[in-house]
Amino acid sequence: MTVSSAPRGVRVHAPAKLNLLLHVLARETSGYHGLETLFLRLALGDHVTIRTDGHERELAVSGPAMPPGGLGAPEANLAWRAAERFADATGWPDGFAITIDKHIPVGGGLGGGSTDAAAVLRGLNAIAPTPLGADRLLALAGELGADVPFLVSDHLLAWGWGRGDRLLGLPPLPPMAVTLVTFAEGVNTGAAFGALATIREQRAARQRGAQDTGEPGTAHPAAAPGAKSYVATAFSSWLDVMFASANDFETVAPLLHTGVGRWLPLVRAEAARLRATGVAAIGLMSGSGATCAVIHPAGTVTDLEPPVPGSGTALLPTTTAAAIVAPEPIL
Ligand code: C5P
């Protein structure tokens, strides 16, 4: 009998992300909008294990952030689809058994589903008999979703554009504490883009002096805000980020989600209170919502009042990610 030295699987840390800045640009002919965003990796993450020594295809999810209603069909899970795509692209593996220990709140702008998919790609590529080059892996990630390329990359901080698939890694910033306000429900991404387009169309109609009927998009395409240009050194300090930080979805998410409506003003006020003590602090919402956050220096604490236990809203302390954690083969 021969004993194979090939790993039987791999364990991967799958970090959450925050968007420190998010501009929604014009709607493209594909129907999708171009984005400009500043991605940040967090220490908070899921634990993903992929076994490749069987012939079945399986996925099991558990853990503290597992929603009571489950996560739907395994085949529809982005992590499953990532493994399938990897197998299609490389001819390996035949079977995969993915287990996800979920710590990132689901559907909340923290990239939870995307990071599990990115972890599957990173993990499989780390132990594959014929691994893909970095460019192929990024392209595969881009086909799975806007946040997956950043989370597959080796960047702690990156400027993203296009659909979030074009990336420029930036030098990491000093560590900070991050206090997340998480909700049981996210904001529906399509509804958030739709609401933003409607508001912009109405604003453009008013600016043209036309009668504002409230009818979205009948005659004019969604107006994109003036594109800003940034240079690679634009985000060299937390002070730079603090002045640039803005998320276009913050105009619509409070209308779509009562939790954001209540907590976004609170995290902003808390950041302002901390800034008044002479430190850098940012209050924001991530992605298209709903998670809100205060970013503040390590060693400082927020005065945010803890939500009622069982209300679905929770304060979750974490920090910025200190390093990229390499996949760990299971021998
Ligand atoms: O990426 P996802 O499928 O979750 O997006 C849901 C919807 O949000 C899309 O169908 C599209 O209407 C909108 N969207 C967009 N531009 C993007 C991402 C999503 O218009 N860059």
Side-chain angles (χ1 to χ4, degrees):
M1 193 178 108
T2 57
V3 178
S4 163
S5 61
R8 289 178 294 158
V10 62
R11 285 189 202 93
V12 196
H13 175 69
K17 62 85 189 171
L18 276 187
N19 302 90
L20 295 174
L21 176 158
L22 178 54
H23 291 309
V24 179
L25 306 180
R27 189 163 51 214
E28 297 166 358
T29 45
S30 63
Y32 279 74
H33 292 77
L35 303 172
E36 281 184 334
T37 188
L38 184 60
F39 285 117
L40 173 78
R41 269 170 134 98
L42 296 180
L44 171 74
D46 295 341
H47 307 294
V48 177
T49 304
I50 313 131
R51 298 290 299 246
T52 50
D53 52 355
H55 295 287
E56 305 297 321
R57 295 187 167 190
E58 295 163 5
L59 177 119
V61 190
S62 59
M66 177 71 175
L71 281 177
E75 297 82 0
N77 191 293
L78 211 53
W80 177 293
R81 284 167 44 205
E84 246 177 10
R85 289 286 186 94
F86 190 88
D88 290 346
T90 65
W92 180 91
D94 175 24
F96 52 79
I98 302 169
T99 55
I100 302 173
D101 179 17
K102 213 115 200 80
H103 291 257
I104 305 172
V106 172
L110 294 173
S114 300
T115 198
D116 295 341
V120 166
L121 294 180
R122 289 173 62 226
L124 287 178
N125 211 43
I127 60 166
T130 45
L132 299 175
D135 287 354
R136 281 283 307 284
L137 201 66
L138 270 180
L140 210 59
E143 290 165 21
L144 289 162
D147 297 330
V148 188
F150 170 65
L151 293 161
V152 117
S153 79
D154 279 342
H155 307 308
L156 294 173
L157 182 75
W159 183 244
W161 70 101
R163 291 246 216 112
D165 53 331
R166 311 286 307 278
L167 290 175
L168 175 69
L170 298 173
L173 295 169
M176 291 279 260
V178 179
T179 302
L180 301 171
V181 183
T182 68
F183 305 100
E185 303 278 323
V187 171
N188 178 291
T189 307
F193 275 101
L196 197 56
T198 302
I199 284 179
R200 287 178 175 173
E201 280 156 2
Q202 290 173 347
R203 194 188 304 145
R206 275 199 300 279
Q207 280 169 358
R208 283 192 307 270
Q211 192 186 5
D212 185 359
T213 60
E215 290 293 318
T218 44
H220 300 279
K228 299 190 174 72
S229 50
Y230 295 89
V231 290
T233 51
F235 307 110
S236 314
S237 71
W238 280 107
L239 222 53
D240 292 338
V241 176
M242 206 172 84
F243 287 119
S245 179
N247 180 345
D248 289 346
F249 287 112
E250 289 182 4
T251 55
V252 293
L255 310 173
L256 300 171
H257 192 286
T258 51
V260 177
R262 174 168 154 64
W263 282 90
L264 185 55
L266 295 178
V267 298
R268 284 186 184 149
E270 183 54 18
R273 185 192 69 78
L274 285 161
R275 284 197 296 271
T277 70
V279 301
I282 307 170
L284 52 72
M285 184 190 77
S286 186
S288 59
T291 302
C292 296
V294 183
I295 301 169
H296 50 108
T300 61
V301 287
T302 71
D303 273 353
L304 290 173
E305 195 166 321
V308 179
S311 64
T313 305
L315 296 187
L316 183 57
T318 183
T319 63
T320 55
I324 303 287
V325 185
E328 182 195 337
I330 303 168
L331 299 172

